[in-house]
């Protein structure tokens, strides 16, 4: 166990901050040619079966996208061109509904949680592009319902019992 003098702690803290900034810049540079899109899927749960019925998203230009219907994730991916960085909170769940429309996929998992998934998709122009899915829960390990308070945001969560969402 290393021991440090109190006078060393300031320089250690500064080094940690500089390291984190270098890491953040490296990530930003790695995905500079990727369009950043925050997305979420909504599902109908009938017992063990989960069916996606809506995919909504906002991109790095604050453009909002909304797709509904059982093929919403397919239409979501096929509406873009270019490399995509898709970000979801608890992406381990949402990724399950996007992956069927990707190919050449590989992933990194920590237990049952998805750290990241990479692969390819076919854009609306028929060309092949890279797609990377990241889980924001790995950066901010708190439920979305806490974000308003954490970040001093004006938010509201609509409440609708999941049992009311059915195929009918």
């Amino acid at each position: 166990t290393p021991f440090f003098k109190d006078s060393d702690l300031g320089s250690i803290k500064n080094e940690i901050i500089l390291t984190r900034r270098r890491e953040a810049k490296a990530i930003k540079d790695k995905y500079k040619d990727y369009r950043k899109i925050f997305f979420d899927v909504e599902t109908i749960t009938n017992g063990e079966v989960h069916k996606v019925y809506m995919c909504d998203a906002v991109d790095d230009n604050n453009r909002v996208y909304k797709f509904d219907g059982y093929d919403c994730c397919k239409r979501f991916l096929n509406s873009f061109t270019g490399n995509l960085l898709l970000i979801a909170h608890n992406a381990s769940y949402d990724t399950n509904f996007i992956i069927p429309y990707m190919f050449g996929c590989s992933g990194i998992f920590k237990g049952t949680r998805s750290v990241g998934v990479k692969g390819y998709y076919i854009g609306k122009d028929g060309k092949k592009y890279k797609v990377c899915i990241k889980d924001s829960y790995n950066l901010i390990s708190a439920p979305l319902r806490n974000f308003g308070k954490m970040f001093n945001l004006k938010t509201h969560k609509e409440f609708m019992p999941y049992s009311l969402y059915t195929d009918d």
Side-chain angles (χ1 to χ4, degrees):
T1 303
F3 293 94
F4 301 99
K5 296 183 274 183
D6 287 343
S7 60
D8 293 337
L9 293 179
S11 62
I12 292 169
K13 183 179 175 183
N14 287 339
E15 186 56 37
I16 290 170
I17 290 169
L18 290 173
T19 300
R20 295 289 183 241
R21 285 182 181 161
R22 283 192 292 270
E23 290 171 350
K25 184 181 181 324
I27 290 169
K28 185 177 179 181
D29 290 348
K30 181 178 181 179
Y31 295 108
K32 71 178 180 200
D33 295 329
Y34 285 65
R35 187 173 186 180
K36 286 86 176 163
I37 301 173
F38 297 87
F39 79 103
D40 188 31
V41 300
E42 300 297 336
T43 60
I44 297 168
T45 307
N46 293 330
E48 296 292 316
V49 178
H50 294 233
K51 291 183 181 177
V52 65
Y53 71 89
M54 185 170 60
C55 180
D56 38 333
V58 61
D59 68 15
D60 45 2
N61 293 315
N62 288 322
R63 181 169 177 207
V64 175
Y65 303 87
K66 184 172 184 164
F67 299 89
D68 53 11
Y70 295 129
D71 66 343
C72 59
C73 290
K74 178 181 182 179
R75 289 185 293 115
F76 167 68
L77 270 183
N78 295 146
S79 70
F80 299 106
T81 58
N83 298 332
L84 302 177
L85 174 59
L86 302 179
I87 303 160
H89 204 65
N90 193 13
S92 300
Y93 184 75
D94 300 72
T95 299
N96 289 309
F97 303 100
I98 299 289
I99 282 183
Y101 307 106
M102 296 170 53
F103 59 95
C105 296
S106 63
I108 300 171
F109 296 88
K110 186 176 182 179
T112 59
R113 294 199 61 83
S114 164
V115 175
V117 174
K118 292 181 180 181
Y120 300 91
Y121 79 102
I122 301 298
K124 66 181 176 185
D125 59 0
K127 295 181 182 176
K128 175 175 108 173
Y129 296 102
K130 295 178 186 176
V131 60
C132 182
I133 304 173
K134 296 286 186 181
D135 191 344
S136 61
Y137 192 86
N138 293 318
L139 300 173
I140 305 169
S141 56
L144 282 175
R145 69 178 169 269
N146 295 353
F147 277 31
K149 191 172 186 178
M150 289 172 58
F151 300 110
N152 196 26
L153 301 169
K154 292 181 181 180
T155 63
H156 73 282
K157 172 87 171 155
E158 294 179 6
F159 177 72
M160 183 84 160
Y162 286 113
S163 61
L164 294 179
Y165 292 110
T166 66
D167 284 328
D168 301 330

